[in-house]
Amino acid sequence: RKEVEQDPGPFNVPEGATVAFNCTYSNSASQSFFWYRQDCRKEPKLLMSVYSSGNEDGRFTAQLNRASQYISLLIRDSKLSDSATYLCVAAPVMRNEKLTFGTGTRLTIIP
Amino acid sequence: DAGITQSPRHKVTETGTPVTLRCHQTENHRYMYWYRQDPGHGLRLIHYSYGVKDTDKGEVSDGYSVSRSKTEDFLLTLESATSSQTSVYFCAIRDGSYEQYFGPGTRLTVT
């Protein structure tokens, strides 16, 4: 079992819709979590950090459920520019030397 | 964007040749990381550095070595490249917070 698991998708969603995807992690010692977005043939870019129960930034909301060991990312009013691969990342005990990356969820927003 | 550059951006080399990839930062951050990204795998840590001349191994360090003689530069060397080292290599940096920021990547092909 992978330490961080994501549904690879692809998720094809009409513009303006709300989309949510989950990420599960197996290491209960994980303390901090991140969502990165990665465009095709580009580097990952930090989207959100999650240190407590959740975080919200504009149209994006991340929620952490420690009991069930999953993190979700919700995108409201999706835009064409949201098309990307979203990477879920877990880090144990606030030490970033051992980040564990999921393989990513591919999202395509359809006009 | 974080001040991180990588060179070269693309390289094709033959099996058995040595290859050095360079990561350069202008942020004066203490922590630097080398990852590789392959289809079906999340980003995997090769080596990281927590200061000048201070480095440690990641999960896929076999066949790679690193050096950090200056704060701004972190070099990754493939002593004798193999086809299994064909990949996209990303450098990342971190300051005192917990977020990592990635460079633009190097696409390496070993023929």
Side-chain angles (χ1 to χ4, degrees):
Chain A
R1 182 186 173 190
K2 293 182 178 178
E3 286 193 47
V4 175
E5 291 202 69
Q6 298 181 249
D7 183 338
F11 284 62
N12 298 314
V13 175
E15 189 175 9
T18 295
V19 60
F21 23 83
N22 285 344
C23 162
T24 59
Y25 62 95
S26 61
N27 186 350
S28 59
S30 297
Q31 291 291 325
S32 50
F33 304 88
F34 309 91
W35 283 102
Y36 283 78
R37 70 167 281 164
Q38 186 173 23
D39 295 296
C40 187
R41 301 178 75 85
K42 298 287 188 179
E43 73 272 25
K45 293 192 175 180
L46 182 65
L47 180 65
M48 298 185 77
S49 304
V50 185
Y51 298 119
S52 57
S53 61
N55 194 5
E56 184 172 335
D57 183 5
R59 297 183 294 109
F60 298 84
T61 300
Q63 291 191 320
L64 170 62
N65 184 316
R66 290 190 188 276
S68 301
Q69 296 188 198
Y70 75 83
I71 315 104
S72 63
L73 179 67
L74 182 77
I75 306 174
R76 290 180 296 276
D77 188 23
S78 54
K79 313 291 185 189
L80 295 177
S81 59
D82 293 333
S83 296
T85 296
Y86 290 83
L87 307 178
C88 174
V89 186
V93 200
M94 303 298 261
R95 290 191 65 221
N96 266 19
E97 286 74 22
K98 302 297 183 184
L99 292 188
T100 302
F101 286 78
T103 53
T105 296
R106 186 173 173 187
L107 174 65
T108 300
I109 305 301
I110 303 166
Chain B
D1 289 346
I4 315 168
T5 57
Q6 293 184 230
S7 59
R9 295 293 313 280
H10 298 86
K11 186 170 183 66
V12 179
T13 191
E14 293 184 348
T15 298
T17 60
V19 177
T20 296
L21 308 183
R22 180 185 184 229
C23 176
H24 178 79
Q25 60 145 333
T26 58
E27 307 295 321
N28 201 37
H29 288 343
R30 178 181 175 189
Y31 296 92
M32 298 185 76
Y33 306 81
W34 276 108
Y35 291 90
R36 60 178 291 174
Q37 187 174 36
D38 306 288
H41 296 274
L43 282 150
R44 292 181 291 174
L45 182 65
I46 304 171
H47 281 279
Y48 66 97
S49 170
Y50 46 96
V52 173
K53 298 191 187 302
D54 292 323
T55 65
D56 204 352
K57 296 179 180 180
E59 65 176 302
V60 291
S61 59
D62 287 349
Y64 302 95
S65 62
V66 290
S67 65
R68 191 167 178 200
S69 59
K70 300 184 290 185
T71 298
E72 58 265 35
D73 290 325
F74 192 31
L75 303 181
L76 176 71
T77 297
L78 291 65
E79 302 290 347
S80 178
T82 67
S83 58
S84 65
Q85 293 177 311
T86 292
S87 187
V88 181
Y89 291 86
F90 288 103
C91 174
I93 62 175
R94 173 170 81 89
D95 58 11
S97 69
Y98 304 108
E99 293 92 5
Q100 292 188 17
Y101 298 90
F102 288 83
T106 294
R107 292 188 172 273
L108 176 67
T109 302
V110 183
T111 61

PDB file of all heavy atoms in Angstrom, chain A residues 6 33-38 43-49 73 84-89 96 99 101 105, chain B residues 43 92-93 98-102:
ATOM      1  N   GLN A   6      -3.829   8.664  -4.041  1.00  0.00           N
ATOM      2  CA  GLN A   6      -4.780   9.567  -4.680  1.00  0.00           C
ATOM      3  C   GLN A   6      -5.436   8.850  -5.853  1.00  0.00           C
ATOM      4  O   GLN A   6      -4.820   8.008  -6.503  1.00  0.00           O
ATOM      5  CB  GLN A   6      -4.067  10.805  -5.247  1.00  0.00           C
ATOM      6  CG  GLN A   6      -3.372  11.660  -4.236  1.00  0.00           C
ATOM      7  CD  GLN A   6      -2.726  12.871  -4.900  1.00  0.00           C
ATOM      8  OE1 GLN A   6      -1.516  12.982  -4.970  1.00  0.00           O
ATOM      9  NE2 GLN A   6      -3.571  13.789  -5.365  1.00  0.00           N
ATOM     10  N   PHE A  33       0.452  18.701   5.997  1.00  0.00           N
ATOM     11  CA  PHE A  33      -0.005  18.241   4.689  1.00  0.00           C
ATOM     12  C   PHE A  33      -0.022  19.411   3.727  1.00  0.00           C
ATOM     13  O   PHE A  33      -0.186  20.569   4.131  1.00  0.00           O
ATOM     14  CB  PHE A  33      -1.412  17.638   4.811  1.00  0.00           C
ATOM     15  CG  PHE A  33      -1.483  16.535   5.824  1.00  0.00           C
ATOM     16  CD1 PHE A  33      -1.745  16.818   7.156  1.00  0.00           C
ATOM     17  CD2 PHE A  33      -1.238  15.217   5.453  1.00  0.00           C
ATOM     18  CE1 PHE A  33      -1.779  15.809   8.103  1.00  0.00           C
ATOM     19  CE2 PHE A  33      -1.274  14.199   6.399  1.00  0.00           C
ATOM     20  CZ  PHE A  33      -1.545  14.492   7.723  1.00  0.00           C
ATOM     21  N   PHE A  34       0.143  19.081   2.456  1.00  0.00           N
ATOM     22  CA  PHE A  34       0.213  20.125   1.454  1.00  0.00           C
ATOM     23  C   PHE A  34      -0.504  19.662   0.195  1.00  0.00           C
ATOM     24  O   PHE A  34      -0.530  18.472  -0.123  1.00  0.00           O
ATOM     25  CB  PHE A  34       1.676  20.448   1.104  1.00  0.00           C
ATOM     26  CG  PHE A  34       2.534  20.708   2.309  1.00  0.00           C
ATOM     27  CD1 PHE A  34       3.235  19.677   2.926  1.00  0.00           C
ATOM     28  CD2 PHE A  34       2.635  21.981   2.852  1.00  0.00           C
ATOM     29  CE1 PHE A  34       4.016  19.910   4.050  1.00  0.00           C
ATOM     30  CE2 PHE A  34       3.411  22.217   3.973  1.00  0.00           C
ATOM     31  CZ  PHE A  34       4.093  21.181   4.572  1.00  0.00           C
ATOM     32  N   TRP A  35      -1.039  20.618  -0.518  1.00  0.00           N
ATOM     33  CA  TRP A  35      -1.509  20.382  -1.876  1.00  0.00           C
ATOM     34  C   TRP A  35      -0.651  21.221  -2.812  1.00  0.00           C
ATOM     35  O   TRP A  35      -0.476  22.429  -2.598  1.00  0.00           O
ATOM     36  CB  TRP A  35      -2.975  20.782  -2.039  1.00  0.00           C
ATOM     37  CG  TRP A  35      -3.943  19.802  -1.458  1.00  0.00           C
ATOM     38  CD1 TRP A  35      -4.613  19.899  -0.279  1.00  0.00           C
ATOM     39  CD2 TRP A  35      -4.364  18.571  -2.060  1.00  0.00           C
ATOM     40  NE1 TRP A  35      -5.419  18.802  -0.099  1.00  0.00           N
ATOM     41  CE2 TRP A  35      -5.290  17.976  -1.179  1.00  0.00           C
ATOM     42  CE3 TRP A  35      -4.067  17.907  -3.258  1.00  0.00           C
ATOM     43  CZ2 TRP A  35      -5.913  16.755  -1.436  1.00  0.00           C
ATOM     44  CZ3 TRP A  35      -4.682  16.703  -3.525  1.00  0.00           C
ATOM     45  CH2 TRP A  35      -5.602  16.131  -2.619  1.00  0.00           C
ATOM     46  N   TYR A  36      -0.113  20.542  -3.828  1.00  0.00           N
ATOM     47  CA  TYR A  36       0.616  21.223  -4.886  1.00  0.00           C
ATOM     48  C   TYR A  36      -0.163  21.044  -6.181  1.00  0.00           C
ATOM     49  O   TYR A  36      -0.834  20.031  -6.384  1.00  0.00           O
ATOM     50  CB  TYR A  36       2.010  20.604  -5.086  1.00  0.00           C
ATOM     51  CG  TYR A  36       3.043  20.991  -4.045  1.00  0.00           C
ATOM     52  CD1 TYR A  36       3.061  20.398  -2.790  1.00  0.00           C
ATOM     53  CD2 TYR A  36       4.025  21.941  -4.341  1.00  0.00           C
ATOM     54  CE1 TYR A  36       4.018  20.737  -1.847  1.00  0.00           C
ATOM     55  CE2 TYR A  36       4.994  22.286  -3.405  1.00  0.00           C
ATOM     56  CZ  TYR A  36       4.981  21.683  -2.169  1.00  0.00           C
ATOM     57  OH  TYR A  36       5.947  22.025  -1.234  1.00  0.00           O
ATOM     58  N   ARG A  37      -0.043  22.012  -7.080  1.00  0.00           N
ATOM     59  CA  ARG A  37      -0.549  21.808  -8.427  1.00  0.00           C
ATOM     60  C   ARG A  37       0.642  21.737  -9.368  1.00  0.00           C
ATOM     61  O   ARG A  37       1.662  22.422  -9.173  1.00  0.00           O
ATOM     62  CB  ARG A  37      -1.529  22.899  -8.847  1.00  0.00           C
ATOM     63  CG  ARG A  37      -0.950  24.259  -9.079  1.00  0.00           C
ATOM     64  CD  ARG A  37      -1.959  25.150  -9.805  1.00  0.00           C
ATOM     65  NE  ARG A  37      -2.014  24.879 -11.241  1.00  0.00           N
ATOM     66  CZ  ARG A  37      -2.995  25.276 -12.044  1.00  0.00           C
ATOM     67  NH1 ARG A  37      -4.000  25.979 -11.555  1.00  0.00           N
ATOM     68  NH2 ARG A  37      -2.972  25.001 -13.344  1.00  0.00           N
ATOM     69  N   GLN A  38       0.497  20.891 -10.366  1.00  0.00           N
ATOM     70  CA  GLN A  38       1.577  20.737 -11.338  1.00  0.00           C
ATOM     71  C   GLN A  38       0.984  20.770 -12.731  1.00  0.00           C
ATOM     72  O   GLN A  38       0.170  19.922 -13.094  1.00  0.00           O
ATOM     73  CB  GLN A  38       2.341  19.427 -11.115  1.00  0.00           C
ATOM     74  CG  GLN A  38       3.568  19.292 -11.998  1.00  0.00           C
ATOM     75  CD  GLN A  38       4.421  18.085 -11.654  1.00  0.00           C
ATOM     76  OE1 GLN A  38       3.955  17.105 -11.075  1.00  0.00           O
ATOM     77  NE2 GLN A  38       5.713  18.145 -11.997  1.00  0.00           N
ATOM     78  N   GLU A  43       7.111  22.464 -12.974  1.00  0.00           N
ATOM     79  CA  GLU A  43       7.397  22.063 -11.604  1.00  0.00           C
ATOM     80  C   GLU A  43       6.148  22.128 -10.729  1.00  0.00           C
ATOM     81  O   GLU A  43       5.218  22.897 -11.003  1.00  0.00           O
ATOM     82  CB  GLU A  43       8.498  22.966 -11.002  1.00  0.00           C
ATOM     83  CG  GLU A  43       8.057  24.383 -10.651  1.00  0.00           C
ATOM     84  CD  GLU A  43       8.211  25.332 -11.826  1.00  0.00           C
ATOM     85  OE1 GLU A  43       8.203  24.892 -12.993  1.00  0.00           O
ATOM     86  OE2 GLU A  43       8.304  26.551 -11.534  1.00  0.00           O
ATOM     87  N   PRO A  44       6.101  21.351  -9.648  1.00  0.00           N
ATOM     88  CA  PRO A  44       5.000  21.496  -8.690  1.00  0.00           C
ATOM     89  C   PRO A  44       5.048  22.868  -8.032  1.00  0.00           C
ATOM     90  O   PRO A  44       6.126  23.366  -7.694  1.00  0.00           O
ATOM     91  CB  PRO A  44       5.277  20.395  -7.665  1.00  0.00           C
ATOM     92  CG  PRO A  44       6.228  19.465  -8.325  1.00  0.00           C
ATOM     93  CD  PRO A  44       7.037  20.288  -9.263  1.00  0.00           C
ATOM     94  N   LYS A  45       3.867  23.436  -7.840  1.00  0.00           N
ATOM     95  CA  LYS A  45       3.765  24.727  -7.154  1.00  0.00           C
ATOM     96  C   LYS A  45       2.832  24.576  -5.963  1.00  0.00           C
ATOM     97  O   LYS A  45       1.755  23.997  -6.083  1.00  0.00           O
ATOM     98  CB  LYS A  45       3.260  25.805  -8.108  1.00  0.00           C
ATOM     99  CG  LYS A  45       4.260  26.123  -9.214  1.00  0.00           C
ATOM    100  CD  LYS A  45       3.897  27.365  -9.980  1.00  0.00           C
ATOM    101  CE  LYS A  45       4.995  27.701 -10.976  1.00  0.00           C
ATOM    102  NZ  LYS A  45       4.710  28.913 -11.760  1.00  0.00           N
ATOM    103  N   LEU A  46       3.259  25.110  -4.840  1.00  0.00           N
ATOM    104  CA  LEU A  46       2.483  24.990  -3.616  1.00  0.00           C
ATOM    105  C   LEU A  46       1.152  25.710  -3.757  1.00  0.00           C
ATOM    106  O   LEU A  46       1.101  26.892  -4.091  1.00  0.00           O
ATOM    107  CB  LEU A  46       3.274  25.564  -2.441  1.00  0.00           C
ATOM    108  CG  LEU A  46       2.602  25.459  -1.077  1.00  0.00           C
ATOM    109  CD1 LEU A  46       2.447  23.994  -0.671  1.00  0.00           C
ATOM    110  CD2 LEU A  46       3.421  26.211  -0.033  1.00  0.00           C
ATOM    111  N   LEU A  47       0.093  24.979  -3.469  1.00  0.00           N
ATOM    112  CA  LEU A  47      -1.256  25.538  -3.528  1.00  0.00           C
ATOM    113  C   LEU A  47      -1.750  25.877  -2.120  1.00  0.00           C
ATOM    114  O   LEU A  47      -2.208  26.983  -1.873  1.00  0.00           O
ATOM    115  CB  LEU A  47      -2.204  24.534  -4.191  1.00  0.00           C
ATOM    116  CG  LEU A  47      -3.660  24.927  -4.346  1.00  0.00           C
ATOM    117  CD1 LEU A  47      -3.785  26.105  -5.306  1.00  0.00           C
ATOM    118  CD2 LEU A  47      -4.478  23.745  -4.861  1.00  0.00           C
ATOM    119  N   MET A  48      -1.652  24.893  -1.216  1.00  0.00           N
ATOM    120  CA  MET A  48      -2.135  25.114   0.142  1.00  0.00           C
ATOM    121  C   MET A  48      -1.352  24.260   1.125  1.00  0.00           C
ATOM    122  O   MET A  48      -0.916  23.165   0.790  1.00  0.00           O
ATOM    123  CB  MET A  48      -3.616  24.730   0.264  1.00  0.00           C
ATOM    124  CG  MET A  48      -4.546  25.528  -0.597  1.00  0.00           C
ATOM    125  SD  MET A  48      -6.257  25.123  -0.281  1.00  0.00           S
ATOM    126  CE  MET A  48      -6.478  26.013   1.239  1.00  0.00           C
ATOM    127  N   SER A  49      -1.239  24.780   2.338  1.00  0.00           N
ATOM    128  CA  SER A  49      -0.661  24.016   3.446  1.00  0.00           C
ATOM    129  C   SER A  49      -1.773  23.730   4.446  1.00  0.00           C
ATOM    130  O   SER A  49      -2.664  24.567   4.644  1.00  0.00           O
ATOM    131  CB  SER A  49       0.435  24.831   4.128  1.00  0.00           C
ATOM    132  OG  SER A  49       1.426  25.217   3.202  1.00  0.00           O
ATOM    133  N   LEU A  73      -9.468  18.141  -1.092  1.00  0.00           N
ATOM    134  CA  LEU A  73      -9.322  19.450  -1.721  1.00  0.00           C
ATOM    135  C   LEU A  73     -10.601  19.739  -2.483  1.00  0.00           C
ATOM    136  O   LEU A  73     -11.035  18.925  -3.300  1.00  0.00           O
ATOM    137  CB  LEU A  73      -8.129  19.482  -2.675  1.00  0.00           C
ATOM    138  CG  LEU A  73      -7.900  20.803  -3.397  1.00  0.00           C
ATOM    139  CD1 LEU A  73      -7.492  21.896  -2.402  1.00  0.00           C
ATOM    140  CD2 LEU A  73      -6.838  20.662  -4.488  1.00  0.00           C
ATOM    141  N   ALA A  84      -5.004  20.920 -14.233  1.00  0.00           N
ATOM    142  CA  ALA A  84      -3.644  20.612 -13.782  1.00  0.00           C
ATOM    143  C   ALA A  84      -3.684  19.262 -13.083  1.00  0.00           C
ATOM    144  O   ALA A  84      -4.746  18.651 -12.940  1.00  0.00           O
ATOM    145  CB  ALA A  84      -3.115  21.679 -12.817  1.00  0.00           C
ATOM    146  N   THR A  85      -2.529  18.822 -12.645  1.00  0.00           N
ATOM    147  CA  THR A  85      -2.459  17.656 -11.762  1.00  0.00           C
ATOM    148  C   THR A  85      -2.231  18.154 -10.351  1.00  0.00           C
ATOM    149  O   THR A  85      -1.387  19.030 -10.118  1.00  0.00           O
ATOM    150  CB  THR A  85      -1.319  16.713 -12.189  1.00  0.00           C
ATOM    151  OG1 THR A  85      -1.604  16.196 -13.491  1.00  0.00           O
ATOM    152  CG2 THR A  85      -1.186  15.551 -11.221  1.00  0.00           C
ATOM    153  N   TYR A  86      -2.997  17.613  -9.411  1.00  0.00           N
ATOM    154  CA  TYR A  86      -2.928  18.056  -8.015  1.00  0.00           C
ATOM    155  C   TYR A  86      -2.257  16.962  -7.188  1.00  0.00           C
ATOM    156  O   TYR A  86      -2.692  15.821  -7.177  1.00  0.00           O
ATOM    157  CB  TYR A  86      -4.330  18.385  -7.497  1.00  0.00           C
ATOM    158  CG  TYR A  86      -4.862  19.639  -8.150  1.00  0.00           C
ATOM    159  CD1 TYR A  86      -5.467  19.580  -9.401  1.00  0.00           C
ATOM    160  CD2 TYR A  86      -4.694  20.882  -7.546  1.00  0.00           C
ATOM    161  CE1 TYR A  86      -5.916  20.729 -10.030  1.00  0.00           C
ATOM    162  CE2 TYR A  86      -5.139  22.039  -8.163  1.00  0.00           C
ATOM    163  CZ  TYR A  86      -5.745  21.959  -9.408  1.00  0.00           C
ATOM    164  OH  TYR A  86      -6.171  23.101 -10.042  1.00  0.00           O
ATOM    165  N   LEU A  87      -1.184  17.354  -6.520  1.00  0.00           N
ATOM    166  CA  LEU A  87      -0.379  16.426  -5.737  1.00  0.00           C
ATOM    167  C   LEU A  87      -0.671  16.599  -4.256  1.00  0.00           C
ATOM    168  O   LEU A  87      -0.640  17.714  -3.737  1.00  0.00           O
ATOM    169  CB  LEU A  87       1.118  16.671  -5.970  1.00  0.00           C
ATOM    170  CG  LEU A  87       1.615  16.693  -7.413  1.00  0.00           C
ATOM    171  CD1 LEU A  87       3.114  16.992  -7.443  1.00  0.00           C
ATOM    172  CD2 LEU A  87       1.330  15.364  -8.096  1.00  0.00           C
ATOM    173  N   CYS A  88      -0.924  15.509  -3.596  1.00  0.00           N
ATOM    174  CA  CYS A  88      -1.137  15.491  -2.150  1.00  0.00           C
ATOM    175  C   CYS A  88       0.179  15.087  -1.488  1.00  0.00           C
ATOM    176  O   CYS A  88       0.856  14.173  -1.967  1.00  0.00           O
ATOM    177  CB  CYS A  88      -2.232  14.487  -1.830  1.00  0.00           C
ATOM    178  SG  CYS A  88      -2.518  14.201  -0.081  1.00  0.00           S
ATOM    179  N   VAL A  89       0.521  15.768  -0.412  1.00  0.00           N
ATOM    180  CA  VAL A  89       1.813  15.541   0.229  1.00  0.00           C
ATOM    181  C   VAL A  89       1.627  15.461   1.730  1.00  0.00           C
ATOM    182  O   VAL A  89       0.902  16.267   2.310  1.00  0.00           O
ATOM    183  CB  VAL A  89       2.798  16.689  -0.104  1.00  0.00           C
ATOM    184  CG1 VAL A  89       4.187  16.386   0.450  1.00  0.00           C
ATOM    185  CG2 VAL A  89       2.857  16.923  -1.604  1.00  0.00           C
ATOM    186  N   ASN A  96      10.172  18.308   7.206  1.00  0.00           N
ATOM    187  CA  ASN A  96       9.951  18.266   5.764  1.00  0.00           C
ATOM    188  C   ASN A  96      10.983  17.466   5.005  1.00  0.00           C
ATOM    189  O   ASN A  96      10.896  17.344   3.805  1.00  0.00           O
ATOM    190  CB  ASN A  96       9.895  19.673   5.207  1.00  0.00           C
ATOM    191  CG  ASN A  96       8.471  20.146   5.140  1.00  0.00           C
ATOM    192  OD1 ASN A  96       7.602  19.612   5.796  1.00  0.00           O
ATOM    193  ND2 ASN A  96       8.218  21.151   4.339  1.00  0.00           N
ATOM    194  N   LEU A  99       9.099  14.327   3.138  1.00  0.00           N
ATOM    195  CA  LEU A  99       7.809  14.484   2.485  1.00  0.00           C
ATOM    196  C   LEU A  99       7.481  13.239   1.691  1.00  0.00           C
ATOM    197  O   LEU A  99       8.350  12.654   1.046  1.00  0.00           O
ATOM    198  CB  LEU A  99       7.833  15.670   1.532  1.00  0.00           C
ATOM    199  CG  LEU A  99       7.945  17.081   2.095  1.00  0.00           C
ATOM    200  CD1 LEU A  99       7.758  18.087   0.977  1.00  0.00           C
ATOM    201  CD2 LEU A  99       6.947  17.315   3.195  1.00  0.00           C
ATOM    202  N   PHE A 101       4.965  12.079  -1.334  1.00  0.00           N
ATOM    203  CA  PHE A 101       4.095  12.610  -2.375  1.00  0.00           C
ATOM    204  C   PHE A 101       3.159  11.541  -2.906  1.00  0.00           C
ATOM    205  O   PHE A 101       3.584  10.402  -3.142  1.00  0.00           O
ATOM    206  CB  PHE A 101       4.932  13.139  -3.544  1.00  0.00           C
ATOM    207  CG  PHE A 101       5.630  14.436  -3.269  1.00  0.00           C
ATOM    208  CD1 PHE A 101       6.795  14.465  -2.513  1.00  0.00           C
ATOM    209  CD2 PHE A 101       5.139  15.626  -3.767  1.00  0.00           C
ATOM    210  CE1 PHE A 101       7.456  15.659  -2.253  1.00  0.00           C
ATOM    211  CE2 PHE A 101       5.791  16.826  -3.520  1.00  0.00           C
ATOM    212  CZ  PHE A 101       6.944  16.834  -2.759  1.00  0.00           C
ATOM    213  N   THR A 105      -3.614  13.698  -8.918  1.00  0.00           N
ATOM    214  CA  THR A 105      -4.940  13.571  -9.522  1.00  0.00           C
ATOM    215  C   THR A 105      -5.020  14.570 -10.665  1.00  0.00           C
ATOM    216  O   THR A 105      -4.797  15.762 -10.461  1.00  0.00           O
ATOM    217  CB  THR A 105      -6.044  13.873  -8.505  1.00  0.00           C
ATOM    218  OG1 THR A 105      -6.011  12.899  -7.460  1.00  0.00           O
ATOM    219  CG2 THR A 105      -7.417  13.849  -9.176  1.00  0.00           C
TER     220      THR A 105
ATOM    221  N   LEU B  43       6.803  12.147  -6.513  1.00  0.00           N
ATOM    222  CA  LEU B  43       8.157  12.663  -6.387  1.00  0.00           C
ATOM    223  C   LEU B  43       8.895  11.886  -5.301  1.00  0.00           C
ATOM    224  O   LEU B  43       8.371  11.673  -4.209  1.00  0.00           O
ATOM    225  CB  LEU B  43       8.122  14.145  -6.005  1.00  0.00           C
ATOM    226  CG  LEU B  43       7.802  15.093  -7.157  1.00  0.00           C
ATOM    227  CD1 LEU B  43       7.087  16.333  -6.669  1.00  0.00           C
ATOM    228  CD2 LEU B  43       9.090  15.467  -7.862  1.00  0.00           C
ATOM    229  N   ALA B  92      14.496  21.474  -4.874  1.00  0.00           N
ATOM    230  CA  ALA B  92      13.576  22.254  -4.055  1.00  0.00           C
ATOM    231  C   ALA B  92      14.353  22.919  -2.930  1.00  0.00           C
ATOM    232  O   ALA B  92      15.428  22.451  -2.537  1.00  0.00           O
ATOM    233  CB  ALA B  92      12.458  21.369  -3.492  1.00  0.00           C
ATOM    234  N   ILE B  93      13.781  24.008  -2.422  1.00  0.00           N
ATOM    235  CA  ILE B  93      14.391  24.709  -1.289  1.00  0.00           C
ATOM    236  C   ILE B  93      13.341  24.919  -0.207  1.00  0.00           C
ATOM    237  O   ILE B  93      12.136  24.887  -0.466  1.00  0.00           O
ATOM    238  CB  ILE B  93      14.994  26.065  -1.703  1.00  0.00           C
ATOM    239  CG1 ILE B  93      13.909  27.013  -2.234  1.00  0.00           C
ATOM    240  CG2 ILE B  93      16.106  25.869  -2.718  1.00  0.00           C
ATOM    241  CD1 ILE B  93      14.427  28.420  -2.546  1.00  0.00           C
ATOM    242  N   TYR B  98       7.647  25.249   6.679  1.00  0.00           N
ATOM    243  CA  TYR B  98       7.592  23.829   6.316  1.00  0.00           C
ATOM    244  C   TYR B  98       7.307  23.585   4.841  1.00  0.00           C
ATOM    245  O   TYR B  98       7.233  22.461   4.403  1.00  0.00           O
ATOM    246  CB  TYR B  98       6.536  23.129   7.174  1.00  0.00           C
ATOM    247  CG  TYR B  98       6.804  23.310   8.637  1.00  0.00           C
ATOM    248  CD1 TYR B  98       6.018  24.144   9.416  1.00  0.00           C
ATOM    249  CD2 TYR B  98       7.887  22.682   9.237  1.00  0.00           C
ATOM    250  CE1 TYR B  98       6.287  24.336  10.752  1.00  0.00           C
ATOM    251  CE2 TYR B  98       8.165  22.869  10.582  1.00  0.00           C
ATOM    252  CZ  TYR B  98       7.361  23.695  11.333  1.00  0.00           C
ATOM    253  OH  TYR B  98       7.621  23.892  12.647  1.00  0.00           O
ATOM    254  N   GLU B  99       7.199  24.650   4.075  1.00  0.00           N
ATOM    255  CA  GLU B  99       6.875  24.480   2.669  1.00  0.00           C
ATOM    256  C   GLU B  99       8.123  24.400   1.812  1.00  0.00           C
ATOM    257  O   GLU B  99       9.095  25.108   2.047  1.00  0.00           O
ATOM    258  CB  GLU B  99       6.001  25.640   2.169  1.00  0.00           C
ATOM    259  CG  GLU B  99       4.616  25.687   2.782  1.00  0.00           C
ATOM    260  CD  GLU B  99       4.545  26.557   4.018  1.00  0.00           C
ATOM    261  OE1 GLU B  99       5.560  27.198   4.354  1.00  0.00           O
ATOM    262  OE2 GLU B  99       3.483  26.592   4.644  1.00  0.00           O
ATOM    263  N   GLN B 100       8.072  23.533   0.805  1.00  0.00           N
ATOM    264  CA  GLN B 100       9.163  23.438  -0.157  1.00  0.00           C
ATOM    265  C   GLN B 100       8.740  24.078  -1.475  1.00  0.00           C
ATOM    266  O   GLN B 100       7.590  23.982  -1.880  1.00  0.00           O
ATOM    267  CB  GLN B 100       9.535  21.968  -0.404  1.00  0.00           C
ATOM    268  CG  GLN B 100      10.157  21.302   0.810  1.00  0.00           C
ATOM    269  CD  GLN B 100      10.703  19.924   0.499  1.00  0.00           C
ATOM    270  OE1 GLN B 100      10.907  19.564  -0.652  1.00  0.00           O
ATOM    271  NE2 GLN B 100      10.969  19.144   1.545  1.00  0.00           N
ATOM    272  N   TYR B 101       9.715  24.703  -2.132  1.00  0.00           N
ATOM    273  CA  TYR B 101       9.485  25.364  -3.417  1.00  0.00           C
ATOM    274  C   TYR B 101      10.440  24.774  -4.437  1.00  0.00           C
ATOM    275  O   TYR B 101      11.628  24.631  -4.162  1.00  0.00           O
ATOM    276  CB  TYR B 101       9.679  26.875  -3.268  1.00  0.00           C
ATOM    277  CG  TYR B 101       8.685  27.459  -2.289  1.00  0.00           C
ATOM    278  CD1 TYR B 101       8.989  27.553  -0.934  1.00  0.00           C
ATOM    279  CD2 TYR B 101       7.423  27.866  -2.711  1.00  0.00           C
ATOM    280  CE1 TYR B 101       8.062  28.043  -0.027  1.00  0.00           C
ATOM    281  CE2 TYR B 101       6.494  28.372  -1.810  1.00  0.00           C
ATOM    282  CZ  TYR B 101       6.818  28.447  -0.474  1.00  0.00           C
ATOM    283  OH  TYR B 101       5.898  28.923   0.427  1.00  0.00           O
ATOM    284  N   PHE B 102       9.875  24.480  -5.611  1.00  0.00           N
ATOM    285  CA  PHE B 102      10.608  23.705  -6.592  1.00  0.00           C
ATOM    286  C   PHE B 102      11.198  24.547  -7.718  1.00  0.00           C
ATOM    287  O   PHE B 102      10.623  25.574  -8.116  1.00  0.00           O
ATOM    288  CB  PHE B 102       9.682  22.645  -7.202  1.00  0.00           C
ATOM    289  CG  PHE B 102       9.361  21.534  -6.250  1.00  0.00           C
ATOM    290  CD1 PHE B 102       8.347  21.667  -5.318  1.00  0.00           C
ATOM    291  CD2 PHE B 102      10.101  20.362  -6.259  1.00  0.00           C
ATOM    292  CE1 PHE B 102       8.069  20.651  -4.421  1.00  0.00           C
ATOM    293  CE2 PHE B 102       9.823  19.332  -5.380  1.00  0.00           C
ATOM    294  CZ  PHE B 102       8.799  19.472  -4.452  1.00  0.00           C
TER     295      PHE B 102
END
